[in-house]
Amino acid sequence: RRVDGLAFPLHHNAVSKDFALWIDAGLTTSKTGVRVDTLPIGFALALEEGVELHFLQLTFGISLWPPRLKLPFLPEIPWSSAVVEPVVDRSDETASSELHITMHGAPGRSGSSRTFRDESAGSVEIDIVDASDRLRLSYTITSEPTDGYIVRAQLLGGGTSAESRTFAPWIDGRCRLHAGLVATHFVTVDLARGPDGRLSLAVDSALPP
């Protein structure tokens, strides 16, 4: 509750989620409503948590969306016990997923490029839709601007994170910041220096044959 920018509803059986030594009041953990708690009893009213009664640290409540009944020691109970989740075949979705690119806060797509003035450092973030992979690149200029960049790459996917740090030199006016697979796409990220000294950042992707 005390962390700025962190907001999510806790499970109604989470231990000590509504603990108050004497009396405590404020926003719920989802930051979408209010709560008042004392040592024996309390209540909460919020968009995420719904309506909750807290008695001896046990929660009795109803969440409105999705509609659920919350009772101590039990999982949330749906209104209907005949809910059947459809089976969706997603075997072909990865191959048809699109590459979405954000470069210095500007969204783009496969083959996008962005031109900017010579900078000492920058970053690019790449997302693959429906493939849960994300590539984040940051590059910092070396002591000599003509040498190249120190590149830090972080690849996130499947609940894991892999990081690498490499040196990318200037070769014939281009600097290859990254070349490798991100999910099912082969992604290259290049910096190019024009005759006027301006840099252009180009990101391209292709599905392997």
Side-chain angles (χ1 to χ4, degrees):
R1 287 194 289 262
R2 295 182 176 91
V3 178
D4 293 335
L6 186 62
F8 56 88
L10 292 173
H11 193 277
H12 69 281
N13 283 323
V15 176
S16 298
K17 77 178 185 71
D18 305 306
F19 176 78
L21 187 60
W22 296 110
I23 184 170
D24 190 18
L27 296 177
T28 61
T29 56
S30 69
K31 309 255 191 322
T32 62
V34 296
R35 58 170 189 85
V36 176
D37 284 294
T38 64
L39 187 59
I41 196 169
F43 77 91
L45 179 63
L47 292 176
E48 293 279 351
E49 286 88 351
V51 181
E52 291 184 352
L53 173 66
H54 309 146
F55 179 68
L56 297 179
Q57 302 299 306
L58 301 177
T59 297
F60 303 81
I62 296 175
S63 60
L64 304 178
W65 188 259
R68 294 288 188 269
L69 179 64
K70 296 183 282 190
L71 296 175
F73 312 113
L74 296 175
E76 292 183 339
I77 302 173
W79 291 124
S80 173
S81 60
V83 176
V84 178
E85 295 293 335
V87 178
V88 180
D89 183 7
R90 301 184 180 271
S91 58
D92 296 331
E93 286 190 3
T94 304
S96 62
S97 60
E98 294 180 344
L99 185 70
H100 292 261
I101 302 165
T102 302
M103 294 180 289
H104 299 279
R109 295 186 61 140
S110 178
S112 297
S113 63
R114 178 175 169 84
T115 303
F116 51 94
R117 295 189 181 278
D118 196 350
E119 298 177 354
S120 62
S123 64
V124 59
E125 183 172 309
I126 301 171
D127 289 307
I128 303 289
V129 177
D130 294 332
S132 69
D133 273 18
R134 174 177 295 175
L135 173 67
R136 293 173 180 165
L137 294 178
S138 60
Y139 47 97
T140 305
I141 203 168
T142 59
S143 57
E144 294 294 332
T146 56
D147 287 348
Y149 290 84
I150 299 173
V151 183
R152 176 178 175 267
Q154 182 182 29
L155 182 61
L156 307 172
T160 61
S161 173
E163 293 189 15
S164 63
R165 190 181 296 268
T166 58
F167 171 70
W170 284 103
I171 301 176
D172 296 330
R174 298 185 69 87
C175 187
R176 176 61 55 89
L177 300 180
H178 178 81
L181 283 175
V182 182
T184 58
H185 293 75
F186 186 80
V187 176
T188 59
V189 183
D190 290 289
L191 273 174
R193 189 188 301 276
D196 58 353
R198 292 172 68 88
L199 297 177
S200 61
L201 178 63
V203 182
D204 290 285
S205 70
L207 289 172

